[in-house]
């Protein structure tokens, strides 16, 4: 429950103590800075992975105005709201990060390359996932497979409605929907459960 707030605070401390500027060629942080930042996290990520977690932490910091990039020097430093953020308890930080994730239309989990005609609203799927998690009994182990099967049977259309599928992709997309559910919507739910 404290890992994401901890890592966000570690990110703020890193940029307060380090002189790091964005690359000129791609407007991203240098790889060596990302590696040093990753080492500050509570559970450092595997350096061979895609850097999704660091990207998520930086996205949340940016969305909350906790980081600032100087336009002239391109240096990153704690932003205007960082001083107020660090005064909050871990619990308050975690609740605010969860609320941000739940409503954030600009953030997408990594397994989202199956969009068909437009980028969907990811908040609909997140809210349905949270609603299903709330229904789970506290004293019973629920396997991931049975959890996903339950969602697929009850509310399979997480990103696109049935009408949207037919209107933009035709009846064939609707016929294939069930067979592709686990690799599309199911994969997105797994990504949500294993990241944010």
């Amino acid at each position: 429950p404290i890992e994401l707030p901890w890592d966000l605070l570690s990110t703020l401390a890193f940029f307060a103590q380090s002189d790091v500027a964005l690359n000129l060629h791609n407007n991203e942080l240098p790889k060596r800075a990302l590696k040093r930042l990753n080492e500050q996290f509570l559970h450092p990520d595997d350096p061979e992975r895609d850097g999704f977690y660091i990207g998520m932490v930086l996205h949340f910091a940016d969305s909350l105005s906790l980081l600032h990039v100087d336009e002239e020097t391109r240096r990153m430093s704690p932003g205007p709201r960082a001083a107020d953020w660090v005064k909050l308890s871990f619990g308050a930080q975690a609740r605010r990060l969860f609320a941000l994730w739940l409503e954030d239309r600009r953030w997408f989990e990594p397994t989202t390359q199956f969009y068909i005609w437009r980028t969907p609203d990811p908040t609909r799927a997140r809210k349905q996932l949270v609603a299903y998690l709330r229904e789970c009994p506290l004293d019973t182990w629920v396997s991931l497979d049975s959890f996903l099967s339950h969602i697929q049977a009850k509310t399979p259309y997480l990103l696109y409605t049935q009408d949207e599928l037919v209107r933009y992709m035709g009846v064939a997309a609707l016929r294939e929907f069930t067979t592709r559910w686990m690799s599309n919507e199911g994969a997105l739910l797994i990504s949500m459960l294993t990241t944010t």
Side-chain angles (χ1 to χ4, degrees), residues 16 51-53 65 69 135 137 139 169:
F52 168 77
Y53 183 74
S65 299
V69 178
E135 291 176 6
D139 56 351
M169 297 298 289

Side-chain angles (χ1 to χ4, degrees), residues 99-173:
L100 173 64
W101 170 74
L102 206 55
E103 298 293 339
D104 193 346
R105 292 172 188 261
R106 294 186 310 129
W107 179 250
F108 294 93
E109 278 68 21
T111 314
T112 52
Q113 53 270 53
F114 57 89
Y115 299 151
I116 52 176
W117 57 277
R118 66 170 171 85
T119 303
D121 176 6
T123 64
R124 182 168 65 186
R126 292 177 192 145
K127 289 174 184 174
Q128 287 187 15
L129 172 63
V130 170
Y132 281 114
L133 288 171
R134 283 187 181 134
E135 291 176 6
C136 289
L138 295 176
D139 56 351
T140 306
W141 175 255
V142 178
S143 73
L144 182 60
D145 290 338
S146 66
F147 181 68
L148 292 176
S149 296
H150 174 71
I151 293 175
Q152 183 181 12
K154 215 168 170 192
T155 317
Y157 300 96
L158 296 172
L159 293 173
Y160 302 104
T161 66
Q162 197 170 7
D163 291 341
E164 289 171 339
L165 280 172
V166 173
R167 189 177 323 127
Y168 294 98
M169 297 298 289
V171 178

Side-chain angles (χ1 to χ4, degrees), residues 36-114:
R36 287 186 6 241
L37 175 59
N38 180 53
E39 292 167 356
Q40 306 299 313
F41 286 173
L42 194 60
H43 297 104
D45 206 3
D46 179 0
E48 300 300 316
R49 292 184 62 196
D50 58 5
F52 168 77
Y53 183 74
I54 289 179
M56 181 182 68
V57 172
L58 292 171
H59 171 79
F60 287 155
D62 179 57
S63 297
L64 293 165
S65 299
L66 301 178
L67 286 177
H68 170 73
V69 178
D70 185 272
E71 289 182 23
E72 288 183 21
T73 64
R74 306 169 61 78
R75 303 244 182 276
M76 291 189 75
S77 61
R81 296 189 178 164
D84 293 332
W85 182 263
V86 298
K87 294 176 187 172
L88 297 172
S89 68
F90 276 136
Q93 290 176 17
R95 284 189 297 277
R96 289 182 188 201
L97 289 168
F98 176 73
L100 173 64
W101 170 74
L102 206 55
E103 298 293 339
D104 193 346
R105 292 172 188 261
R106 294 186 310 129
W107 179 250
F108 294 93
E109 278 68 21
T111 314
T112 52
Q113 53 270 53
F114 57 89

